Amino acid sequence: MIKFLTLAAMSLSVCAAQAQNVSGEALLQRLSQVRTALKASAGASVACETPQSASCDFSGYCGKLAEKAGDFYLYRDKEGRTIPNTQLIGALSIAEFCAKNPFPQSVVQDPFVFVDQFLSEEKAGGKEQFQKNRAALKAAEQRVEKVFTDMKTRVIRMLESKRTAENSAAIDNMIGRIRTVKYKPANTNGNYGDLAMQGCVGPNGYYSPDEHAITVCPQSMNMPEASLFSLMAHEIGHAFDPCTMAMGRSQEGLIEPDWIEGRRAAGKEVFAPVFMEKNPFKSVVACLQSPSSLNVKIPSMKNLLSNVDKFEQDLKNEMSEMEDLQGEGEEAPARDATMARFEDERQRIRDNYDKFKYCSMLTNSGHIGEAFSDWIAAEALASKIKEIPEAGKRQEFAFASQAHFYGTGCSNILESSLNKINSATQGACPELQEFMKHQASGGRHNDPYHVDSHPATGQRVDRIYYAKPELREALGCKGGNHGQACK
């Protein structure tokens, strides 16, 4: 997801740069050839065979999909549901901006990939096609809601299976929260910018704690059922992840603690907070932090306090340098107030660390919430797969459950996509060149100013989803380093 969003964001930020070293006519011709090949691959009606990787790991499946790296779709199931090659599509869109985006229509008429075809008659190719697109969107929303209802039922059933005499009240609290989660379609009555502001730059889904609702972006709506199920099961996990459970909930939203700046007034408490010592999944959270599982790291209180100390000292040094240059003026009261805020921050950490260390607003790390939500999705998927009678359909469902990750996260497909489009432009697109350099240096994961909100995609798939025996059995795995299945 992250890599696709980076490509898409770059595409939107390009200001029709002039191509260099390649004539405009030659560049258009080369891009037209790429578009023709992509369109032909998209028109193929044959469903893909379910890829098989002996070890059933993320890199193995990425390798199996390499032969599709030049196609518009990486995968198409027997119902015609697709996983678009978003990395190649994103690279092509950058190149088209470099060429002043001369093509009047998208490379393929698929509104679930190019969502402006849902939003504009012109982009759809006329009023009649626009109406067909809108009808397809309405049908897709109805399909997603059915999957959403099934998913909620299975997650609640899973929670019921974990009930004991000791945790019954906490389980009831979690179930109550889940029952009240709504499905809220994305607003598609505006323009693309409006949709992007909702979080729908590309394939995505999200849980809104304010609205207590899950939204699936239009770019994900035509994916296989298993992909939708997995995506929404992950998102509903955020409705009762370790951070969310540390806060009460009213009818209006989360009841945030006093120490959160700009916290919302949320009304009368309906569901009380459940802190980790009473959380029924305390052992799961501990397991996810172990090297035998995902090895999630939670910043220690000592490290958080040390970071505040370092920031304070750096600022003091800057102020001292300014005073040496300008002399001490009337800024002393403001400086003292600023320094007092550092002590307030240290006290905020000391007072709240034990209860809220799994909250990104305190530790700047939301990894345990993401890992826990993956675990919830894996549990729900396992229960679903056990009820599929045919081995072939079980295998297809298990593979498709993670296919949305393959569409956005396979590094070999990203490299192939970038090389393909760079070759087509003969290196004439500066933005594409810059992105390729960024990727070669390690991308966002080596960026000291970027804190990734999710653990590495491949690790999430291998160490949580494929750690589940039901998924490995359905896929026909033989070996693989999947780690411990947390219980």
Side-chain angles (χ1 to χ4, degrees):
M1 183 63 186
I2 291 167
K3 290 174 182 172
F4 171 75
L5 290 179
T6 303
L7 280 166
M10 286 185 66
S11 300
L12 291 171
S13 68
V14 176
C15 296
Q18 288 281 359
Q20 301 169 354
N21 304 323
V22 180
S23 71
E25 183 178 345
L27 180 58
L28 295 184
Q29 184 177 7
R30 293 171 72 85
L31 290 178
S32 293
Q33 290 171 351
V34 173
R35 286 168 58 92
T36 298
L38 275 177
K39 187 173 183 179
S41 72
S45 59
V46 179
C48 302
E49 292 295 324
T50 302
Q52 292 182 293
S53 172
S55 60
C56 296
D57 55 25
F58 185 78
S59 62
Y61 282 113
C62 287
K64 292 294 182 180
L65 290 169
E67 65 183 41
K68 306 286 289 180
D71 291 354
F72 190 82
Y73 299 115
L74 288 177
Y75 178 72
R76 187 196 310 260
D77 70 11
K78 293 178 177 60
E79 294 181 353
R81 307 300 179 183
T82 57
I83 300 295
N85 188 350
T86 53
Q87 300 186 119
L88 179 56
I89 295 164
L92 176 62
S93 68
I94 293 175
E96 290 183 353
F97 270 99
C98 288
K100 295 190 176 181
N101 198 17
F103 302 99
Q105 295 292 334
S106 302
V107 59
V108 172
Q109 292 301 104
D110 183 343
F112 293 102
V113 176
F114 302 109
V115 290
D116 52 4
Q117 296 173 17
F118 285 132
L119 310 175
S120 160
E121 287 187 9
E122 179 185 0
K123 294 294 185 180
K127 182 176 181 179
E128 181 178 354
Q129 185 59 50
F130 177 70
Q131 290 174 341
K132 288 181 180 179
N133 290 351
R134 295 296 295 188
L137 178 62
K138 183 176 181 180
E141 289 174 348
Q142 293 171 347
R143 171 177 174 256
V144 170
E145 288 198 59
K146 288 181 180 179
V147 178
F148 173 76
T149 300
D150 178 41
M151 176 276 299
K152 279 180 68 171
T153 299
R154 290 179 184 280
V155 173
I156 290 171
R157 190 185 303 168
M158 181 275 291
L159 289 176
E160 290 283 10
S161 73
K162 309 292 184 182
R163 185 189 297 277
T164 66
E166 291 75 22
N167 70 21
S168 184
I171 290 290
D172 284 343
N173 188 316
M174 291 177 168
I175 290 175
R177 294 184 188 225
I178 293 171
R179 288 193 193 280
T180 53
V181 174
K182 305 177 292 294
Y183 173 71
K184 180 186 177 186
N187 183 354
T188 55
N189 293 321
N191 56 38
Y192 178 80
D194 297 331
L195 198 58
M197 287 294 292
Q198 297 175 60
C200 294
V201 177
N204 195 16
Y206 53 87
Y207 166 72
S208 169
D210 295 345
E211 298 179 282
H212 202 40
I214 288 173
T215 296
V216 175
C217 295
Q219 297 95 319
S220 292
M221 284 187 170
N222 199 41
M223 289 185 178
E225 177 188 346
S227 301
L228 290 171
F229 185 100
S230 180
L231 184 155
M232 288 192 284
H234 169 93
E235 295 306 330
I236 210 168
H238 285 304
F240 62 107
D241 68 24
C243 176
T244 306
M245 288 304 297
M247 303 181 199
R249 171 166 284 285
S250 71
Q251 294 285 1
E252 291 77 27
L254 283 180
I255 303 174
E256 295 178 339
D258 293 344
W259 55 266
I260 295 180
E261 290 189 13
R263 72 188 186 103
R264 301 176 302 275
K268 183 179 178 182
E269 183 178 87
V270 177
F271 300 107
V274 177
F275 299 111
M276 188 49 62
E277 64 269 17
K278 298 288 187 181
N279 193 305
F281 297 104
K282 181 178 180 179
S283 62
V284 172
V285 172
C287 174
L288 292 169
Q289 295 175 75
S290 69
S292 60
S293 179
L294 197 60
N295 200 24
V296 176
K297 301 295 185 184
I298 304 298
S300 68
M301 183 192 296
K302 180 179 178 180
N303 284 343
L304 293 174
L305 293 173
S306 177
N307 288 340
V308 176
D309 292 343
K310 184 178 184 306
F311 190 18
E312 180 183 34
Q313 188 59 52
D314 288 346
L315 189 57
K316 283 181 178 179
N317 292 341
E318 286 183 24
M319 289 180 170
S320 179
E321 290 175 5
M322 291 288 291
E323 288 175 358
D324 289 343
L325 291 172
Q326 301 175 3
E328 185 170 355
E330 300 179 359
E331 293 83 6
R335 180 190 59 201
D336 293 343
T338 299
M339 294 307 157
R341 287 179 64 85
F342 284 108
E343 183 53 39
D344 290 343
E345 177 64 13
R346 281 187 283 265
Q347 194 61 47
R348 184 176 80 113
I349 293 169
R350 294 188 194 101
D351 290 346
N352 298 290
Y353 183 82
D354 288 341
K355 288 183 177 179
F356 296 100
K357 63 183 175 182
Y358 300 118
C359 294
S360 61
M361 64 280 289
L362 184 71
T363 65
N364 203 30
S365 173
H367 283 199
I368 200 66
E370 299 300 334
F372 178 81
S373 294
D374 283 334
W375 183 83
I376 291 295
E379 291 286 303
L381 282 165
S383 74
K384 176 87 172 178
I385 285 169
K386 284 193 293 187
E387 296 180 11
I388 300 175
E390 298 178 29
K393 289 184 177 180
R394 285 197 300 274
Q395 183 186 50
E396 182 181 44
F397 194 92
F399 169 76
S401 73
Q402 305 310 303
H404 55 292
F405 285 129
Y406 298 121
T408 59
C410 289
S411 59
N412 63 321
I413 293 175
L414 175 63
E415 182 179 2
S416 174
S417 299
L418 293 172
N419 288 337
K420 182 181 181 69
I421 302 304
N422 189 50
S423 175
T425 62
Q426 293 186 349
C429 180
E431 289 75 19
L432 194 63
Q433 293 282 307
E434 187 63 29
F435 184 78
M436 293 178 74
K437 289 178 183 178
H438 186 55
Q439 290 301 118
S441 66
R444 294 168 68 154
H445 295 292
N446 284 353
D447 183 350
Y449 299 101
H450 173 72
V451 178
D452 206 335
S453 61
H454 294 72
T457 300
Q459 289 291 300
R460 294 169 65 190
V461 173
D462 290 344
R463 309 291 287 186
I464 298 183
Y465 291 99
Y466 293 164
K468 288 295 295 179
E470 293 87 349
L471 269 73
R472 292 205 310 274
E473 181 181 350
L475 291 166
C477 300
K478 296 178 177 61
N481 181 20
H482 301 107
Q484 173 185 357
C486 296
K487 298 180 181 178

